Amino acid sequence: MMLKLLHYFPFIGLVVAENGLQAWLRYAPLPQGHNARLPSSIIALNSSTNSPVNTAGQELQKGIQGIFGNRLSISSIGKAPSSAVIGTVAQFQEAFGSSPVHNQLEEDGFWLSVNGSTVQILGQNERGALYGAFEYLSMLAQGNFSNVEYATNPAAPVRWINSWDNMDGSITRGFGGNSIFFADGHVVSNLTRAAEYARLLSSIRVNAVVVNDVNANFTTINPENIQGVGRIADVFRPYGVQLGLSLDFASPMELGNLSTYDPLDPGVIAFWGDITQQIYARIPDFAGYLVKADSEGTPGPLVYNRTLADGANLFANVIKPFGGIVMYRAFVYNQLPDEGDWKADRANAAVDFFHPLDGQFDDNVIIQIKYGPIDFQVREPASPLFANLLETNTAIELQVAQEYLGQQCHLVYLPPLWRTILDFDLRVQNQSSFVRDVITGERFKRPLGGSAAVVNVGLNDTWLGSHLAMSNLYAYGRLAWDWTSDSEMILQDWTRLTFGLDKTVIDTITQMSMASWPAYENYSGNLGEQTLNDILYTHFGPNPQTLDNTVWGQWTRADHASIGMDRTVSNGTGFSGQYPPEVAEMFEDIETTPDNLLLWFHHVNYTQMLKSGKTVIQHFYDAHYEGAETANNFVAMWQSLKGKIDDERFEDVLFRQVFQAGHAIVWRDSILNFYHNISGIPDGAGRVGHHPFRIEAESMELSGYQRYVVSPFEAASNAIAIVTLTNSTTGTATTVLNFTSGVYDLAVNYFDLYGGNSSYQVLLNQKMIGQWVGNIVDIGKLGHTPSIYLDGHSATRITFPQVPIKKGDTLKIVGQANGVEPAPLDYVVLLPAGVID
Ligand code: GCU
């Protein structure tokens, strides 16, 4: 793709309240004074209602009207000197006898020529033409009026989204409201949001959506629901977005009343043939199937001692005549490994299962591989399976849903993480073998390949629950088109489109977002030990103990002296040997393993020296303090944008940043309390376990409150909180402040449980200085998976800024219990300017 020449002009503030529904397709008016030369009419070479070219014409009209206020006419024939012509290359040739495009385009590709007011947008197919129209509009909306002329093609044919939406309307790992597709076992009647979603996806060149959860329910393919998903496909179609479905492998039994779901059984084959026919009868452009089989308890071919290739080829055969494909997930592992076995390793599973089958999958099967060998962790090495399937199509599975990455309540801009995987050189046969070139099919000359991203958009106006999280969705599409695109430039395009052209806004959001993944890694799990959240419960807040002593195999093997998984061939699980020799050698040797994956590959003492010159444990301490500080700085950075962004979105993001700042401290303290306790090694900088500005709630004078020992202990400051005596009474906690007189930020750490909305008041010398209700999780304001316990998920901070305090003042907190929530309090902290604790 050619470099864009950007001509920006000064931005004059324009802040109209917005709820986020338009995402990056706002077409907000540009300020006066620009020098745009616009076409005077639109010629869309196909005017039939459902055609993407027709959609493109409408979109151009809408966009140009929004940005510039001019309403252009649309026709389907003619040639005006200053018009925007849009269509396929073939349509253009037919209309005008010849075309400027000669063999440069591949499937879905487009040609864009902007020469002042004369614009030509030609797609290899209609979908490509629509992509080109969105690209032109994106330039205009960003104030970029350059002349351009280029052809662009996708890196790979598969640029899919996986929705984990359930038939009952819930979304697995959904943090932005319920499904836009399903409710109560059926497809919803109003599919407006589904159509709006397709529009967003088309603008980022995503070409298919699998609409139901990988843990599929057989009812999705009953006759009524095939008609229902057919309606979804109908609203997707004008946007060039195809529909796909996840399958439940046992459907022949559950839906077809057969006695087996053995993939080689003729009755089973006939059942799937019939289902496939029914689907294509309703949805002729159906994209294909997604299959999660023999994975986390789902049924699959292994039940019948058939191979995973038998399972995949079953669907491949029946769907082939219709031109569909099968995305078969590599997320297959023995979920009951024994931690007592030093050589047991869940990370080995994908290669163990799939490598022996290389070459046995049909050509319309793609093995869909999560980016790392475990499960969407904050840092993983690239899955070695990408280097082990030389005769099989592959795709990478990414997660826009921030399941283990703050659940859209923490800002984490993901492309830099994704790029560590995609840009990793696996050195297959000692030759350059970047993951990105494997999945596009280029490296091993495969006919198919690409990517799928798990995306959890819901009914929330913001789609993902968080305005800023939308940059991840936008960037996914942009990267799936071109994996070498720059993460920061994509982010800046998104920011201009989402928040306007103010330079401070762009710079600030860029700075925050680019710092966000490193910050989250710093406070959530370092050196390749994975995200230390509670893998047995919410996957949200910290709970490092849950990684070990479980059958889930996400072990850290932390004991009082040492930590890390020994994945070497010489002494450990042998995982490093799954990579090609050059890479295997690097990871086998502690000296050549990068610090950021040290604990992924090696089991070492906490006193092991890193390449950075710090010990492992001191790195933990420093990184967690650094990460929490960065997250706290985001608040002031965001606040500096007040007035430059509409209040509605400004306040919404501010709320989340304030939450993240508090929760980052919860993370920091939980993880550090845990390792400090288990290792007994003090923090060289004296911070861990030393909080001079805090007053523990349990050390205050209590009336109607009692001490409560929190589990896990590290989730509470000093391991203890206070709760009211009953679930309906009031308690007070009082203390005399022994601080130097001055102005402090007064923060209270409490626990916000699901199932209760306690209310609290803070009084200084009997005068109320603040109050709040612990209802954030109950009203779903943040959308993360809630907790009913006092733990690292429910631990929350509220801050009252700039409170004047005199030595000897009396501070009292009154808590009124509600529901299951006994007004739980952890501590109060009085923060002098510049202190984060
Ligand atoms: C994770 C996630 C599950 C999901 C699974 C999958 O383990 O927590 O909810 O079903 O991944 O990708 O299949």
Side-chain angles (χ1 to χ4, degrees), residues 132-208:
F134 276 119
E135 179 58 30
Y136 175 54
L137 285 169
S138 167
M139 288 174 66
L140 297 179
Q142 295 184 62
N144 175 2
F145 309 125
S146 320
N147 284 343
V148 295
E149 186 167 287
Y150 63 88
T152 178
N153 291 303
V158 173
R159 304 177 304 280
W160 286 24
I161 275 175
N162 292 177
S163 307
W164 287 357
D165 292 31
N166 299 299
M167 296 307 297
D168 65 2
S170 65
I171 300 178
T172 305
R173 316 298 170 192
F175 317 120
N178 272 355
S179 174
I180 61 172
F181 303 124
F182 307 115
D184 305 322
H186 313 280
V187 174
V188 294
S189 53
N190 182 347
L191 288 170
T192 311
R193 287 293 296 270
E196 287 169 343
Y197 187 37
R199 173 171 172 256
L200 287 181
L201 296 184
S202 162
S203 76
I204 53 170
R205 307 174 201 170
V206 164
N207 57 2

Side-chain angles (χ1 to χ4, degrees), residues 164 172-173 214-215 292 296 329 331 370 375 403 539:
W164 287 357
T172 305
R173 316 298 170 192
V214 282
N215 301 301
K292 173 180 180 178
E296 302 188 320
R329 293 178 91 224
F331 190 57
K370 287 194 183 187
D375 194 9
E403 175 179 354
H539 295 190

Side-chain angles (χ1 to χ4, degrees), residues 496-518:
R496 283 183 209 103
L497 295 169
T498 305
F499 291 110
L501 309 189
D502 186 306
K503 191 172 177 313
T504 314
V505 173
I506 297 162
D507 290 349
T508 306
I509 292 177
T510 303
Q511 247 183 305
M512 289 170 66
S513 303
M514 293 309 288
S516 63
W517 170 52

Side-chain angles (χ1 to χ4, degrees), residues 705 722-724 726-731 750-761 771-779 790 798 813-825:
Y705 260 123
I722 59 170
V723 296
T724 49
T726 77
N727 273 8
S728 57
T729 48
T730 303
Y750 66 106
F751 297 87
D752 190 349
L753 275 50
Y754 184 68
N757 298 321
S758 308
S759 44
Y760 304 84
Q761 295 180 343
Q771 58 182 328
W772 79 97
V773 178
N775 63 358
I776 300 174
V777 291
D778 285 271
I779 61 173
L790 278 72
I798 186 159
I813 303 187
V814 183
Q816 165 66 52
N818 176 272
V820 303
E821 195 176 75
L825 290 170

Side-chain angles (χ1 to χ4, degrees), residues 428-707:
V428 180
Q429 293 157 345
N430 304 320
Q431 286 172 37
S432 148
S433 309
F434 293 101
V435 171
R436 58 173 192 260
D437 295 333
V438 173
I439 57 146
T440 57
E442 195 182 312
R443 174 66 181 86
F444 302 127
K445 306 283 167 266
R446 298 299 312 165
L448 277 176
S451 57
V454 179
V455 178
N456 55 356
V457 300
L459 283 168
N460 191 296
D461 286 343
T462 63
W463 296 96
L464 291 175
S466 146
H467 296 289
L468 294 188
M470 289 292 275
S471 58
N472 288 322
L473 177 55
Y474 177 84
Y476 166 65
R478 290 277 306 265
L479 284 166
W481 188 265
D482 177 3
W483 292 110
T484 63
S485 313
D486 183 73
S487 304
E488 189 167 324
M489 280 171 72
I490 296 175
L491 175 72
Q492 297 194 336
D493 285 350
W494 172 81
T495 308
R496 283 183 209 103
L497 295 169
T498 305
F499 291 110
L501 309 189
D502 186 306
K503 191 172 177 313
T504 314
V505 173
I506 297 162
D507 290 349
T508 306
I509 292 177
T510 303
Q511 247 183 305
M512 289 170 66
S513 303
M514 293 309 288
S516 63
W517 170 52
Y520 189 82
E521 180 179 29
N522 274 341
Y523 62 75
S524 73
N526 309 148
L527 307 176
E529 61 177 342
Q530 306 166 83
T531 322
L532 299 176
N533 46 24
D534 192 327
I535 64 160
L536 300 180
Y537 188 29
T538 62
H539 295 190
F540 180 56
N543 194 345
Q545 304 183 39
T546 61
L547 278 82
D548 286 298
N549 309 311
T550 74
V551 293
W552 291 98
Q554 293 185 212
W555 306 319
T556 68
R557 292 194 184 277
D559 61 24
H560 70 281
S562 53
I563 183 168
M565 282 290 287
D566 185 342
R567 291 189 158 110
T568 60
V569 173
S570 55
N571 187 49
T573 73
F575 171 80
S576 65
Q578 292 190 339
Y579 291 95
E582 290 179 45
V583 176
E585 240 169 72
M586 172 178 76
F587 288 141
E588 181 73 13
D589 184 350
I590 201 163
E591 292 305 320
T592 49
T593 304
D595 279 353
N596 60 25
L597 284 170
L598 183 77
L599 302 179
W600 183 281
F601 285 102
H602 301 279
H603 185 82
V604 300
N605 286 335
Y606 292 109
T607 50
Q608 167 80 29
M609 204 53 90
L610 299 171
K611 293 176 191 60
S612 68
K614 287 182 189 176
T615 60
V616 164
I617 190 80
Q618 194 58 44
H619 177 92
F620 284 3
Y621 295 148
D622 293 348
H624 282 76
Y625 269 83
E626 204 183 300
E629 185 177 339
T630 307
N632 275 266
N633 291 340
F634 289 165
V635 175
M637 291 168 84
W638 185 259
Q639 275 167 331
S640 74
L641 304 183
K642 188 162 176 62
K644 296 176 184 293
I645 287 174
D646 60 283
D647 284 350
E648 192 172 351
R649 291 186 297 168
F650 175 82
E651 292 299 336
D652 204 89
V653 174
L654 181 60
F655 183 82
R656 278 166 193 272
Q657 294 313 135
V658 168
F659 172 81
Q660 179 181 1
H663 203 222
I665 293 173
V666 170
W667 264 99
R668 180 195 79 186
D669 292 350
S670 297
I671 303 294
L672 297 188
N673 287 342
F674 179 78
Y675 288 115
H676 184 242
N677 180 63
I678 198 173
S679 71
I681 302 174
D683 166 19
R687 298 155 299 190
V688 180
H690 181 66
H691 303 285
F693 300 103
R694 288 187 189 178
I695 305 163
E696 294 296 334
E698 66 275 16
S699 69
M700 293 167 82
E701 193 186 315
L702 306 182
S703 163
Y705 260 123
Q706 59 189 340
R707 292 158 65 94

